Amino acid sequence: LSIGAEVQEGLIFNRGRMNVLGLGFLTRYRVTLDFPHNRLYLRPGKSVARFENPDMTGLHIIRDEGKTLVHSVDPNSPADQAHICAGDEIVEVNHMTAQSHKLDTIRRIFASAPGDRVHLQTRRDNQIQNCELTLRLFSMAVGKKP
């Protein structure tokens, strides 16, 4: 990706219903928003060369009223294969309550190393489910399952 004279390599792009330029990318720059002219200006910051580790679970999570919730699940991902669904509550991550972790910490756990395992306890319709996800890179092929 080239933005002016800056070139970013090793970025990960996914196809999805939402297009978001995430905070992980934006924190690399000094960002100026010019609302009247509909423009975004980026100047390199201290961490412009920082590498972003990819999520290897396929989970997109949010925190709402103290609960850690699954916002969406990428197709063909370990979370998809474990039948985790949007709206599920994540109760535990690696045998510790999800509430005891910051959201950023959980996301770092999800981006550890291929082959690492993450234990999740989820709740759906007041039923608890335990699963173990083996982290891996996965294809975001739309409409295809392995």
Side-chain angles (χ1 to χ4, degrees), residues 18 55 57-64 67-74 79 84-93 98-99 101-111 118 120-122 133:
M18 293 177 22
D55 169 272
T57 63
L59 288 171
H60 302 277
I61 56 174
I62 59 172
R63 192 150 282 155
D64 187 21
K67 294 181 179 180
T68 305
L69 303 173
V70 176
H71 174 269
S72 57
V73 179
D74 291 329
I84 297 173
C85 298
D88 288 355
E89 177 185 359
I90 298 177
V91 180
E92 288 184 359
V93 178
Q99 291 177 333
H101 292 294
K102 292 181 179 181
L103 223 46
D104 189 47
T105 301
I106 296 173
R107 289 185 177 118
R108 276 195 301 262
I109 291 169
F110 290 173
V118 176
L120 292 180
Q121 185 179 81
T122 60
L133 305 179

Side-chain angles (χ1 to χ4, degrees), residues 54 56 111-117 134-137:
M56 289 187 269
S112 298
D116 284 359
R117 294 184 179 177
T134 301
L135 302 183
R136 65 176 173 81
L137 295 173

